[in-house]
Structures are given as structure tokens and as C-alpha cells.
Amino acid sequence: MSTIIYVVIFFVVFYAVAIFWWRSQRNKSKNAFANLDLSREARSAPQYQQELMNGDYAFLKKHMDGLPVEAFTTAASEYTATDRAKDLGKDALKSLATLGTVKFTTVTTPKYLALSGNELHLFDTNKDGDIDKHLVFDQSRLQQSTLYEIPLSGSSWKHIKYGDYALRSYKLELNTDHKPVSLLLYSGLVNVSPNNAAFLSMNASKQVQEFVVGNYFLNKLGESYPHLKVPTYLPAV
């Protein structure tokens, strides 16, 4: 049997196994969300949040330097094709945060938001995935900021679901000394790659945690700043 035939057989088997695994994970996710008691999950949100901050998101606790975290979420830049062309081949990130000044230019790297008291902390990462910028938006900045739900962009995004809960997206515009910082938030902890692809955890129980924590952040932000309140899947408790 020729080498080419072996290669073809390998790829056919690999593809079949990958499809079987993907469908299995999809079914586990649907089952995990099928009978979700949202009120109970809302009450469990602080526990889920603590577990995540002791695990995959432990770096946030480190960079908050002892400040309490009431809620946190992931975020992505609103990054257009024009932005991509402009920043091609260079690192366009420049930021400055002082007591009276906030300047920020976004690039497509993972971002994180943490609500602490009346302040919102924005963490940005470099192209190696390490946090290299920490901006703080105080009460006066947030009172002049906006948050609203927007349609998902791109056909592939519309198929992303937590079980039968369709992914929801929101646009957060944070007030600065110059143009607002525009970020995209989601109804869950979604990791977005530089090529605008979304990734959810493959583990079903972790998906539930990330779904709850992401919606919990939106609720807590709306409680602190009523003009930033948006519809979410999670009831306020």
C-alpha cells in the first residue's frame, strides 16, 4: 500500500474522530444548559467567580494588587478592517493613565474588565498574552460612558451558543480625554482571537460557570451604574 493511501486513511480517521468528539462536547454542553435554574445560578455566581479567579483567571487577582473584585469579564476590541490595515506590521498600542488623564488605542489582544467599588479596571495584553497595560476608569468616567446591546457581526458568530442560549453582544464605550474606548462584551467569558474568531471552553461545567460570570458582570455593572444596565440572561438577585 502506497504512502499516499496511508496518509489519506489517517486524515479520514482523524476527521471522523474530531467530528465525533466535537458532537459529543456539543451534546454535553446542551445537556448542561437544558435544565439550568437561572435564579440558582445567579446566586452561585460569586462562588463561580472565585473558582475561576483561583484558576484560569488568577492573574487578574494578582494585577488587582489586593483590591476586591466584585465582578469581571473578558472583552474584545471593536476592530475594523481599516484598523487592521493601519496597524499591520507594527504595535499600535499606546496608553497613558493618570488621575486626570486616560488615553487608549486598541489592538486585537485579549482584554479583561474588573469592577471594584466605583471603579472599572481595564487590563490589556501584549501579543505574548501578558498583561502590560492597566487602566482605571473612575466614577466620573463611567458616568459619561455608555453600554448597549448590539447584533452579533459575522455569520459564524450567530451560531455560537451556550447550550440553547444564543450569544449576546454589547458595545461598551468608555469615556476618555480623546475618543471613547470601544469594547465588545458578551453574555459569557468569550476569548476572541486576532482574526475575530470566538472560543468557548470545551468543558461543559466550565461553560456554565463562564456563562454565569459573564452575565453577572453585566448585572453588577448595571447595579452600580443604572445608565449602563442592559438585558442579560441572568436575573438580578
Side-chain angles (χ1 to χ4, degrees):
M1 191 177 292
S2 69
T3 302
I4 294 178
I5 294 177
Y6 279 119
V7 171
V8 170
I9 291 174
F10 169 79
F11 278 106
V12 168
V13 172
F14 177 82
Y15 180 77
V17 170
I19 291 295
F20 174 81
W21 179 83
W22 178 81
R23 287 181 175 173
S24 174
Q25 295 301 116
R26 183 83 177 262
N27 288 335
K28 287 179 181 178
S29 176
K30 289 192 72 172
N31 291 337
F33 282 88
N35 299 307
L36 213 59
D37 183 336
L38 293 177
S39 294
R40 184 178 66 187
E41 295 300 327
R43 292 190 293 272
S44 299
Q47 175 191 335
Y48 292 162
Q49 183 170 279
Q50 192 59 45
E51 290 174 3
L52 290 172
M53 291 193 69
N54 286 336
D56 294 343
Y57 295 88
F59 59 88
L60 285 180
K61 193 159 52 174
K62 172 186 174 183
H63 285 278
M64 287 298 288
D65 197 24
L67 290 174
V69 176
E70 294 174 32
F72 78 91
T73 194
T74 55
S77 301
E78 187 181 37
Y79 205 64
T80 65
T82 301
D83 295 325
R84 190 181 303 278
K86 187 186 299 182
D87 293 339
L88 185 64
K90 66 177 182 178
D91 183 3
L93 180 60
K94 297 177 182 178
S95 65
L96 172 66
T98 66
L99 290 177
T101 306
V102 175
K103 298 178 182 177
F104 189 76
T105 303
T106 55
V107 295
T108 52
T109 55
K111 307 178 196 308
Y112 307 92
L113 292 169
L115 185 63
S116 180
N118 292 325
E119 296 179 334
L120 185 64
H121 295 249
L122 168 59
F123 297 96
D124 200 4
T125 60
N126 57 29
K127 293 181 179 178
D128 295 321
D130 300 318
I131 289 177
D132 65 348
K133 297 294 181 293
H134 179 183
L135 304 180
V136 181
F137 294 83
D138 61 19
Q139 187 175 35
S140 64
R141 296 282 183 190
L142 293 175
Q143 286 173 339
Q144 299 178 63
S145 300
T146 61
L147 176 65
Y148 49 94
E149 188 170 6
I150 60 173
L152 285 167
S153 61
S155 57
S156 62
W157 281 78
K158 296 176 182 177
H159 297 289
I160 299 174
K161 293 183 177 181
Y162 286 97
D164 289 326
Y165 294 93
L167 187 67
R168 302 170 80 162
S169 63
Y170 310 84
K171 184 174 180 179
L172 175 63
E173 294 186 324
L174 294 167
N175 176 263
T176 74
D177 290 337
H178 299 276
K179 66 179 182 179
V181 174
S182 292
L183 298 173
L184 300 179
L185 311 184
Y186 301 96
S187 55
L189 305 185
V190 178
N191 292 307
V192 183
S193 70
N195 62 355
N196 200 37
F199 296 93
L200 304 183
S201 295
M202 296 307 299
N203 180 280
S205 60
K206 184 170 283 189
Q207 269 193 28
V208 171
Q209 287 187 329
E210 294 176 349
F211 169 80
V212 171
V213 168
N215 281 276
Y216 182 70
F217 171 86
L218 294 167
N219 285 354
K220 295 297 287 185
L221 185 61
E223 288 176 16
S224 298
Y225 296 94
H227 69 289
L228 299 180
K229 187 175 180 62
V230 290
T232 71
Y233 286 119
L234 212 62
V237 293

